[in-house]
Amino acid sequence: MAVISSTTRTSWLIPLYAAGIVVFSDMYLTQPILPQLSAEYGVAPATAGLSVSVVVLMIALGSLAVGPLSDRWGRWPVMVGSALLLALPTLLCALSPSFEVLLLWRALQGLCIPGLTAVAVAYLGDSLPADQLGRAVGGWIAANVAGGLSGRVVGGLISDGFGWRASFMVFAGLTVVSGLGLLATLPRDRVIAASSGWRQAYRAMFAHVVDRHLRSAYMIGGSLFFGFLGIFTYLPYYLSAPPFSLPPAIIALAYVSYLAGVIVSPWAGALSARYPRLRLIMIGLFIALAGIGLTLIPNLPLIALGLWTLCTGMFIAQSITPALVNQLAQQAKGAASALYLVAYYLGGTLGGVIPGLGWQVAGWPGVIVICLSALALALAATKRLAAQTYRQLGGYDDKNSNTS
């Protein structure tokens, strides 16, 4: 696919980022209202957490298909079609008569979401020159962060004022608008592998799985999202219980800490063009570890500081790792990006459930121990990839070299 000219670029980047905001809002609409779902449907916290993890799991499974599909059919139809289809299950969530039905519609949301989220980085990689990719991916991650913030904060505020079903209705309408925006503005891409079959597409995916560098990158993403999602999924239970006993509207404001990601993601993406990506990822992980530790102190200002610190570190690492995967993959970059999201969201699926078991056994300290362990695993994978890169390149520099 030919690189899109700079004069055309801003006309489609803004609608793409806007769609990312809405899609990620849809993904996280139930996270701030888990105590409400527990009360309405009579389910335990770990069970209510399934309304988050089922979406994440379906995103992981859907990513297995949309990556090769976009390599074969082109990115544009997959991205636009998925964004438009997502509006239907989002609306149906508002009409759920039981928790089981809600999970069904949430699962269908998850199947629609990766058509945009798993393909967008590959689309940017196809469309933009290499020296601008880091900044563009950083902007995409910032849009994703803004979406997570919007779904949690705006969705939580709507739920507190008008009931949780109203938030799904509002965001279903926004999803339609964002899909139409992509339809009208996103440039069509050239099909890269029209003559290749599914067997060849999945052969390319298998080659990515056995690549030791990419495996390490996938471990970074999955472990990182496990720890991050675990903290924010069970945060409402922590803050709604004594000694805090905060109402849902105030708890929703805790997710304003996501603004740290909006700020640092483009900045980290720009830095990745100048400094080794793996060093920046390590720095982000250490910051995130410190942030999680601060939330153990039962003091609201320190918890808020911990959440901001966690978000800062998380999004430094997350804004850089997808571009690293794109760099490491020598071919079938759409499949490589999709596999990264499979690992990322499988980690999130487990992060939406396993820390809940820690909560039920030991309260917030149980959640903390599990989530810190996940980030420690991400740090170990980063160090392993750095060592592999150092040995192969004869030096620690992963900015401009393909190491796969």
Side-chain angles (χ1 to χ4, degrees):
M1 178 177 171
V3 172
I4 296 173
S5 68
S6 59
T7 56
T8 307
R9 193 178 309 128
T10 55
S11 67
W12 59 268
L13 272 180
I14 292 175
L16 178 62
Y17 291 163
I21 292 173
V22 174
V23 166
F24 274 84
S25 295
D26 293 340
M27 179 178 174
Y28 292 113
L29 284 176
T30 63
Q31 201 170 57
I33 60 168
L34 292 183
Q36 294 172 261
L37 296 180
S38 290
E40 177 162 342
Y41 292 120
V43 296
T47 303
L50 290 173
S51 65
V52 177
S53 61
V54 71
V55 179
V56 176
L57 176 61
M58 290 296 107
I59 291 173
L61 297 178
S63 296
L64 288 171
V66 297
L69 190 67
S70 74
D71 284 333
R72 189 173 185 222
W73 288 0
R75 322 288 188 210
W76 188 92
V78 174
M79 295 168 69
V80 173
S82 297
L84 290 171
L85 285 173
L86 176 60
L88 180 59
T90 302
L91 177 62
L92 291 173
C93 284
L95 308 177
S96 302
S98 67
F99 186 71
E100 292 76 14
V101 173
L102 175 64
L103 289 183
L104 172 63
W105 301 135
R106 291 288 282 167
L108 290 178
Q109 280 185 298
L111 285 177
C112 294
I113 287 172
L116 184 65
T117 61
V119 177
V121 172
Y123 182 88
L124 291 170
D126 293 341
S127 305
L128 300 174
D131 62 341
Q132 297 174 5
L133 178 60
R135 185 181 298 274
V137 172
W140 169 250
I141 298 299
N144 298 169
V145 175
L149 172 65
S150 176
R152 292 169 169 100
V153 176
V154 178
L157 293 175
I158 293 173
S159 298
D160 195 45
F162 303 97
W164 65 266
R165 298 176 190 271
S167 64
F168 281 100
M169 294 181 182
V170 170
F171 279 95
L174 293 174
T175 303
V176 172
V177 172
S178 69
L180 292 175
L182 290 181
L183 179 66
T185 63
L186 199 66
R188 288 181 178 267
D189 59 326
R190 178 173 60 83
V191 176
I192 297 173
S195 61
S196 64
W198 288 100
R199 181 177 300 178
Q200 181 175 341
Y202 283 103
R203 187 180 297 118
M205 294 187 81
F206 179 76
H208 294 323
V209 170
V210 299
D211 184 294
R212 67 185 189 279
H213 299 99
L214 285 169
R215 281 203 311 270
S216 295
Y218 297 155
M219 179 63 72
I220 294 168
S223 301
L224 178 66
F225 197 38
F226 179 109
F228 181 78
L229 193 67
I231 291 295
F232 278 98
T233 295
Y234 294 96
L235 181 69
Y237 290 102
Y238 181 40
L239 296 182
S240 63
F244 309 114
S245 303
L246 299 179
I250 301 300
I251 292 173
L253 293 178
Y255 295 98
V256 172
S257 56
Y258 265 56
L259 285 174
V262 177
I263 296 168
V264 304
S265 292
W267 171 73
L271 283 180
S272 70
R274 300 171 54 196
Y275 300 102
R277 290 188 170 111
L278 290 169
R279 286 181 181 170
L280 295 173
I281 291 171
M282 286 184 191
I283 291 171
L285 288 171
F286 279 119
I287 293 172
L289 285 164
I292 291 177
L294 277 174
T295 67
L296 269 174
I297 304 172
N299 177 278
L300 284 176
L302 288 178
I303 291 172
L305 176 61
L307 295 176
W308 278 84
T309 304
L310 168 59
C311 287
T312 299
M314 156 68 180
F315 290 110
I316 288 173
Q318 170 55 9
S319 65
I320 295 168
T321 310
L324 178 65
V325 169
N326 189 272
Q327 168 196 334
L328 291 171
Q330 293 180 328
Q331 59 183 345
K333 292 179 180 289
S337 295
L339 276 174
Y340 172 76
L341 288 183
V342 170
Y344 185 75
Y345 288 117
L346 281 177
T349 300
L350 297 175
V353 177
I354 294 176
L357 302 177
W359 169 265
Q360 291 170 202
V361 171
W364 190 246
V367 174
I368 292 297
V369 169
I370 292 172
C371 294
L372 284 176
S373 299
L375 290 192
L377 183 59
L379 185 60
T382 307
K383 290 183 176 180
R384 182 171 61 249
L385 181 55
Q388 293 166 348
T389 303
Y390 189 95
R391 287 193 301 268
Q392 181 159 337
L393 298 180
Y396 188 58
D397 183 4
D398 57 356
K399 301 191 296 299
N400 302 308
S401 301
N402 191 309
T403 61
S404 62

